[in-house]
Amino acid sequence: YNGRGPGGVAYDRARRYSFREDYLPAPLFAVSLRNGDSLTILDQAPQGHTTTQEATVDERFSFGGFGADETADGGFEMGYWLPGTTVAVGAPGGRGAAGGGGGGYFGTTGGRGQTPQTPQPGPPQPVQLTWTRRYNPVKEGFTQSYQLGFRFGSRESFPDLIRNSYRWAWQVLKPAVNWQDMEVVRRSLVDQLSSQVYTIEGRTGLPFIVSTVTGKVFSTNPDPNFFWRATMGFVGKNLEAADQLLRESDRDPSARGQKMRQQGLDTIATFIRTVPMSPPVSTGVNLKTGAPSMTNSPQWFIREATDDMRMVMEAYDRERKAGRDHPEWIEWCKEFADWALTQQRPDGSFPRSYMLGTQDVAQDSGTTSYNVAPLFPMLSKDLNDKKYLDSAIRAAEYVWQNFGSRGIFIGGAIDNPNITDKEAGMLSLEAFLSLYDATHEPKWLH
């Protein structure tokens, strides 16, 4: 966050990377060279034992730390530190964090809940290194055991390296299926979801943060109503939650299911009534006050609308097949889509975010144009209007040609700066597969 992650701008400027192996489900680290050569290190027998406290010496430590440093001659050294020594990169006045997960702001501004600014390019700045050193004790009878594997590749593109190294790790680690009773899981989760739906003065939804200790809405903000905001998409997902409640109601005709159905319908109705979409004036509503609310004030991101409207469209199609029509649902989604079409640029991209209630672009980067692709084809099909599908194809082509073809996906998490992140990759995957479903063109599956 704000450049402080192990692959963030602070580490890039320091020419140093360091992280604990248990950051990843497959504990590996790879370097790709410009000529297509690559080297991957894998812990082939991970144990991962650790402690709650950040002790310096403990015989229970059995995890390692991966890292790479640039050398004075422009080369690099990469390796595996055991048991788990890591280094965090900080900056004067910044916050160094133990464990390799922190570092300085490097000119960024804004904490969580504020609007972060993307770090500006420039010459490397002085850095501070905060080491978290870990040791196993030296004593009679104590043993250590680590098993590392090395994979050397040649003539591999960066996407090829990712695919090949993870398939190698899969073959070596042979992860087993962890069987669970999914019926119990689903019922428990949807019951918990239903228990957190509130209706206040005709407004229904899920508040933003609820304490897992007390079961009550947080009140730690100076504004007592702050966490009563119900928002859509990203981490709000009120309408996706509503869809889950409607799905469960179709499975369960009892009073439990009927209650969930009403909660789902009321939540969707609340958003359609209180959140106009041309242009979007907010991403939600405060359940206590009725005021427009958003996840990341004072901007709204295109992801927020598309995330949840896609789920509204799925609910719309399912309900209509069951003989229950909701024309206001699709009209609300169409209202947003028609406005969004006016914002699409000649190259197929959409701006990442806007100032609330306006058409003023806040972040003009087109990195997140993949967001429209799952929603727009559904509108094309139901409205029998090809313009939405054509728009989605242009947006996805832009993402692939400019970023995806190089294995780079950017800007998914809206409370992060416009950086590479896993959510962008997942959303792009969803976008391309949605277009494959809509067009049956093999290129989208590829």
Side-chain angles (χ1 to χ4, degrees):
Y1 182 70
N2 278 353
R4 292 183 281 118
V9 66
Y11 290 80
D12 188 58
R13 287 179 172 170
R15 317 308 295 160
R16 178 185 291 270
Y17 300 91
S18 179
F19 62 95
R20 294 170 55 138
E21 68 168 290
D22 51 6
Y23 276 23
L24 301 173
L28 59 80
F29 179 53
V31 169
S32 176
L33 303 182
R34 290 189 180 92
N35 66 359
D37 290 344
S38 66
L39 171 60
T40 306
I41 305 176
L42 170 71
D43 183 352
Q44 297 189 119
Q47 303 167 74
H49 301 135
T50 186
T51 61
T52 304
Q53 285 75 31
E54 285 287 359
T56 302
V57 181
D58 199 297
E59 62 183 61
R60 291 169 290 180
F61 291 147
S62 64
F63 65 93
F66 289 110
D69 305 323
E70 185 173 290
T71 57
D73 61 1
F76 70 94
E77 297 175 343
M78 64 183 291
Y80 181 87
W81 284 260
L82 54 93
T85 287
T86 53
V87 61
V89 177
R95 297 180 298 171
Y105 282 95
F106 272 66
T108 64
T109 59
R112 192 167 291 275
Q114 298 174 295
T115 303
Q117 303 300 314
T118 302
Q120 299 301 310
Q125 301 180 25
V127 299
Q128 294 175 343
L129 303 180
T130 304
W131 286 92
T132 300
R133 303 185 187 276
R134 301 180 180 91
Y135 304 93
N136 290 135
V138 178
K139 68 178 187 179
E140 187 72 27
F142 179 77
T143 60
Q144 295 171 304
S145 176
Y146 295 86
Q147 183 179 335
L148 300 182
F150 298 85
R151 177 186 177 275
F152 297 88
S154 63
R155 294 185 294 278
E156 282 185 321
S157 67
F158 183 57
D160 286 341
L161 167 61
I162 295 172
R163 180 178 62 249
N164 295 338
S165 61
Y166 263 92
R167 288 182 175 179
W168 171 56
W170 183 277
Q171 292 166 0
V172 171
L173 297 173
K174 297 180 174 62
V177 174
N178 185 12
W179 294 100
Q180 304 292 330
D181 187 336
M182 297 310 295
E183 178 70 16
V184 172
V185 171
R186 195 198 76 246
R187 285 186 63 91
S188 300
L189 288 175
V190 77
D191 282 339
Q192 168 66 7
L193 194 66
S194 175
S195 74
Q196 298 305 316
V197 176
Y198 290 82
T199 297
I200 303 173
E201 297 179 356
R203 296 179 292 269
T204 300
L206 290 109
F208 197 64
I209 299 181
V210 176
S211 170
T212 57
V213 177
T214 66
K216 297 180 180 179
V217 176
F218 266 22
S219 58
T220 55
N221 192 278
D223 177 1
N225 296 319
F226 183 74
F227 292 114
W228 282 97
R229 51 195 169 124
T231 59
M232 59 195 295
F234 190 45
V235 295
K237 291 193 180 293
N238 260 248
L239 299 179
E240 183 170 341
D243 178 57
Q244 291 295 324
L245 293 168
L246 291 174
R247 288 173 187 266
E248 186 69 7
S249 72
D250 287 340
R251 300 185 187 102
D252 183 358
S254 72
R256 170 181 174 271
Q258 293 173 23
K259 174 186 176 182
M260 291 178 180
R261 176 168 180 79
Q262 196 60 52
Q263 288 176 326
L265 294 174
D266 290 348
T267 298
I268 295 174
T270 295
F271 275 76
I272 291 175
R273 186 176 69 252
T274 62
V275 186
M277 277 292 156
S278 184
V281 301
S282 70
T283 58
V285 62
N286 190 297
L287 296 175
K288 276 288 186 73
T289 68
S293 296
M294 64 294 301
T295 301
N296 234 42
S297 177
Q299 300 178 42
W300 75 268
F301 291 74
I302 195 168
R303 174 181 175 183
E304 295 175 272
T306 55
D307 263 6
D308 263 12
M309 285 188 172
R310 184 255 178 98
M311 306 313 298
V312 171
M313 287 299 302
E314 288 201 7
Y316 172 81
D317 287 340
R318 195 175 59 252
E319 288 276 291
R320 188 172 57 170
K321 288 178 182 177
R324 301 183 290 255
D325 198 13
H326 303 276
E328 71 279 10
W329 293 9
I330 193 171
E331 187 59 35
W332 186 60
C333 297
K334 179 180 181 297
E335 180 185 344
F336 166 77
D338 287 344
W339 175 82
L341 288 178
T342 68
Q343 305 299 303
Q344 190 168 23
R345 296 178 288 215
D347 61 3
S349 67
F350 290 86
R352 186 168 185 245
S353 69
Y354 294 81
M355 300 307 294
L356 285 172
T358 74
Q359 298 188 49
D360 297 335
V361 174
Q363 297 184 37
D364 63 0
S365 171
T367 53
T368 62
S369 299
Y370 44 73
N371 282 316
V372 303
L375 170 66
F376 280 15
M378 301 174 78
L379 286 167
S380 272
K381 181 179 179 181
D382 285 355
L383 296 172
N384 195 28
D385 192 334
K386 195 169 178 288
K387 67 182 179 183
Y388 305 107
L389 175 60
D390 290 342
S391 171
I393 290 172
R394 291 174 56 219
E397 289 280 12
Y398 170 85
V399 171
W400 178 253
Q401 295 300 329
N402 288 276
F403 308 106
S405 59
R406 294 180 288 133
I408 299 171
F409 301 96
I410 303 176
I414 71 171
D415 59 350
N416 267 347
N418 195 32
I419 61 172
T420 55
D421 57 29
K422 85 174 187 309
E423 290 183 58
M426 295 166 67
L427 292 164
S428 298
L429 179 66
E430 186 176 32
F432 300 148
L433 290 177
S434 294
L435 288 175
Y436 176 72
D437 286 342
T439 67
H440 303 295
E441 291 188 32
K443 70 175 183 178
W444 297 115
L445 183 61
H446 172 73

